Amino acid sequence: MREYATPAPVELPAQGSLTDDLIAPASERPESVLFARRTDDGWTDVTAAEFHTQVRDVARGLIASGI
């Protein structure tokens, strides 16, 4: 059996977490559009502040459910 390894194309920071990528744009550029979500009326922009609120609300719901 042969084993191959490929080095990561980017360097990972020594500190921080995935949530930093959500919190930083929400606090630094809350009105910036992060992505668009498809709705019945077409595509709707989602800002950093809106996405942060949605993620926080889902997390609170999971915690309240005991997850």
Side-chain angles (χ1 to χ4, degrees), residues 33 35-47 50:
V33 175
F35 59 90
R37 180 177 287 138
R38 188 171 183 166
T39 64
D40 291 337
D41 300 325
W43 291 90
T44 303
D45 290 341
V46 179
T47 66
E50 290 170 331

Side-chain angles (χ1 to χ4, degrees), residues 20-58:
D20 294 343
D21 293 334
L22 172 64
I23 294 170
S27 61
E28 296 167 6
R29 305 175 308 279
E31 295 306 315
S32 64
V33 175
L34 295 182
F35 59 90
R37 180 177 287 138
R38 188 171 183 166
T39 64
D40 291 337
D41 300 325
W43 291 90
T44 303
D45 290 341
V46 179
T47 66
E50 290 170 331
F51 187 55
H52 180 260
T53 300
Q54 293 167 1
V55 170
R56 188 184 61 219
D57 292 346
V58 168

Side-chain angles (χ1 to χ4, degrees), residues 9-27:
V10 296
E11 247 183 79
L12 300 175
Q15 295 180 338
S17 69
L18 183 60
T19 59
D20 294 343
D21 293 334
L22 172 64
I23 294 170
S27 61

